[in-house]
Amino acid sequence: MAGKRKGKKGKKGKKESRIIDEYQLRRDLRGKAMDDMDEETGEKLPKEGAEEVSPEIKIGGIEGGGTYSTLVILDRKGEKLIEVKGPGTNHWVLGMEETAARINSMIEHSKELLGIPRTIPLDCVGLSLSGCEEETTNDLLTSTLLNEYPDAAKDYFVSSDTLGSLRTGLENGGIVLIAGTGSNALLINPDGKTHGCGGWGYMMGDEGSAYWIAHRACKYVFDDIDDLAKSPHPISYIWPAMRDFFQVKDRTDMLPHLYSNFDKSKFSMFAKEIALGCEKNDPLCLAIFEENGRLLARHIVALFKKAHNDLKLCYGGLQVICVGSVWKSWKFMMEGFMDEIHSGLVIDELSLLNLTATSALGSAYLAAEKINCPFVKPYKENVQVFFHYKRDNYGKIENERQSQITQCVRNDRNENIELLKNVC
């Protein structure tokens, strides 16, 4: 078929997945949609070559946040055919119709790249999106897609972004802790029961997120200059960085960024400047990230209490998948995180893992299960451990450190006694 594109063959003869960044999908697709309409009737023209398409199952998965989304399409064997980047898909921010339109645009664009006619729907698409925690609104999103875009997919499985991330790397359950623009944590036990912590948005939380870091930094500046509450460390780095990032001269100029022109995603990007301050050893930036580590640890402590013993006793302890750009600054959060975990006296052992593949795969796995399409899921290949905590080991390290501190104190005391004797 003339418009069909085939993937390049790899060393083992498998198709290499293509990663395409696409943030202007709707504009392009709307223009192309007009070409497929009959000028007199306004109806869609039949797609040439539709009968040549293989009836093989195609499954989609979308991982969507407030800033960007990722779509993957798998074949019936679980092999990834394509990966496409798109805009944010949080329906609480965009509205249901706009969210559905963006999802349809991503699906149509991926079909075009694979040479699949738009009139041939995918068999099922998993949607693991930010803001999809309620069954009622999830059902509404599904019905909107099926009614407005019947050619996109035959069926959908809608869930929160946390579920998609967890199912990308863990089969039998565990915790996923998202720390990106916002924050959210979810525990899934082996019996399928779920428990959440956080995820209420910036008005009611988002502790541990990029938004929280940016807000905390700005709050220190405002309160310190007002003399309402003095910052624990000088604002000599954050205040100039704040003026430069937001392009303001004083705090009054910040008001549009905080209210009339507030953009959560843009505001949260200020957290990168705080991370840069940590690299420069700014005390206040380091303190903010240490506190952020403590807040993330509290999410895990809260959910650990509700975790099944099978998860706690598995090799490496409770498995926690960590998702989001904030985890890139783990080295600045680690001390606060470990202290909070250890002082909580709840957790004996846990492992922190990051994903080595897009969490859109987990969304596709969920869609495959809904239509009973079995294939081997390479969970272990999709994750890697970057931190392991065990109370006994940590306790030994702490005891050694305390012993060294005690010895130093004793040495100082003896030196002082000898000094006093000499003086006398």
Side-chain angles (χ1 to χ4, degrees):
M1 191 166 58
K4 193 168 184 178
R5 300 182 185 179
K6 295 183 179 179
K8 296 179 180 178
K9 296 288 184 178
K11 292 182 179 180
K12 296 182 180 180
K14 291 184 178 181
K15 291 181 179 178
E16 294 180 352
S17 61
R18 294 186 294 267
I19 301 178
I20 298 102
D21 291 332
E22 196 65 45
Y23 292 94
Q24 304 263 341
L25 298 175
R26 296 188 64 212
R27 183 186 301 172
D28 297 338
L29 288 168
R30 280 171 176 163
K32 292 176 182 177
M34 296 301 295
D35 297 334
D36 294 339
M37 295 291 187
D38 187 297
E39 294 182 358
E40 295 182 2
T41 64
E43 297 179 354
K44 286 186 177 181
L45 294 170
K47 189 74 174 182
E48 294 182 6
E51 68 281 356
E52 299 177 21
V53 177
S54 170
E56 186 174 317
I57 290 175
K58 297 290 189 299
I59 299 163
I62 295 180
E63 173 246 340
T67 306
Y68 69 92
S69 302
T70 303
L71 163 69
V72 297
I73 293 182
L74 312 181
D75 62 18
R76 66 188 307 158
K77 296 180 180 179
E79 182 182 348
K80 185 169 70 173
L81 303 177
I82 197 168
E83 180 175 328
V84 175
K85 297 288 185 181
T89 47
N90 187 321
H91 68 80
W92 292 113
V93 177
L94 303 168
M96 200 64 71
E97 292 184 0
E98 176 64 18
T99 301
R102 293 187 178 195
I103 291 170
N104 175 68
S105 295
M106 293 179 70
I107 293 174
E108 286 200 346
H109 189 66
S110 65
K111 286 181 183 179
E112 179 187 3
L113 294 171
L114 288 172
I116 302 174
R118 283 181 247 169
T119 54
I120 304 297
L122 300 179
D123 291 273
C124 191
V125 175
L127 304 175
S128 298
L129 312 179
S130 174
C132 285
E133 282 84 19
E134 296 182 1
E135 186 176 350
T136 302
T137 52
N138 292 356
D139 291 342
L140 179 58
L141 178 57
T142 298
S143 61
T144 301
L145 285 163
L146 292 174
N147 293 330
E148 298 295 327
Y149 309 101
D151 292 338
K154 298 176 183 177
D155 202 358
Y156 296 89
F157 182 92
V158 185
S159 66
S160 70
D161 52 349
T162 48
L163 181 59
S165 298
L166 190 142
R167 285 304 307 275
T168 300
L170 300 175
E171 180 178 11
N172 298 319
I175 291 178
V176 60
L177 180 52
I178 295 178
T181 302
S183 64
N184 196 3
L186 177 73
L187 162 71
I188 298 183
N189 277 317
D191 59 5
K193 292 184 179 179
T194 63
H195 302 276
C197 180
W200 300 111
Y202 71 95
M203 287 294 290
M204 294 301 293
D206 268 350
E207 293 88 352
S209 68
Y211 169 81
W212 184 91
I213 292 170
H215 179 271
R216 188 67 159 171
C218 293
K219 181 65 172 168
Y220 273 135
V221 169
F222 273 70
D223 289 351
D224 188 85
I225 296 176
D226 277 343
D227 207 18
L228 176 67
K230 297 305 292 183
S231 171
H233 302 284
I235 61 173
S236 54
Y237 169 83
I238 292 182
W239 179 215
M242 185 174 158
R243 294 198 303 267
D244 184 61
F245 179 83
F246 292 101
Q247 294 293 292
V248 298
K249 294 180 180 179
D250 52 36
R251 289 177 299 156
T252 303
D253 292 341
M254 279 293 296
L255 296 178
H257 294 285
L258 300 173
Y259 297 100
S260 58
N261 298 325
F262 175 71
D263 183 332
K264 180 182 176 182
S265 297
K266 181 180 178 181
F267 185 84
S268 300
M269 289 179 184
F270 182 52
K272 292 182 179 179
E273 301 301 318
I274 311 305
L276 183 60
C278 289
E279 296 285 356
K280 297 179 179 180
N281 291 318
D282 178 72
L284 185 54
C285 292
L286 289 168
I288 291 173
F289 266 90
E290 182 180 349
E291 185 178 2
N292 204 62
R294 292 182 180 277
L295 292 171
L296 291 173
R298 289 176 191 171
H299 285 76
I300 298 175
V301 171
L303 294 178
F304 187 91
K305 301 172 185 176
K306 303 171 184 177
H308 194 279
N309 282 335
D310 289 348
L311 297 180
K312 297 176 182 178
L313 298 175
C314 71
Y315 180 78
L318 182 65
Q319 308 290 293
V320 182
I321 292 181
C322 304
V323 180
S325 58
V326 173
W327 290 105
K328 294 178 182 178
S329 299
W330 165 247
K331 62 182 178 180
F332 303 125
M333 301 188 294
M334 182 171 64
E335 186 173 350
F337 180 94
M338 288 195 303
D339 286 346
E340 189 68 28
I341 291 292
H342 194 68
S343 63
L345 301 176
V346 173
I347 299 175
D348 295 320
E349 186 177 12
L350 65 80
S351 292
L352 301 184
L353 304 85
N354 52 27
L355 295 176
T356 58
T358 172
S359 54
L361 285 174
S363 307
Y365 295 166
L366 292 165
E369 291 172 6
K370 182 171 185 178
I371 62 173
N372 298 316
C373 177
F375 54 80
V376 177
K377 304 174 182 68
Y379 292 110
K380 292 183 179 180
E381 296 178 12
N382 295 338
V383 293
Q384 63 181 7
V385 177
F386 70 89
F387 175 75
H388 176 246
Y389 166 86
K390 195 168 185 178
R391 178 167 293 277
D392 292 342
N393 295 340
Y394 187 86
K396 291 176 183 177
I397 295 172
E398 281 297 291
N399 290 335
E400 290 176 3
R401 188 168 69 176
Q402 289 300 324
S403 178
Q404 292 173 359
I405 293 173
T406 302
Q407 188 61 44
C408 289
V409 172
R410 287 174 179 171
N411 291 339
D412 289 343
R413 185 188 304 161
N414 291 334
E415 289 177 3
N416 289 336
I417 291 174
E418 290 298 321
L419 180 61
L420 287 171
K421 285 181 179 178
N422 294 332
V423 171
C424 293

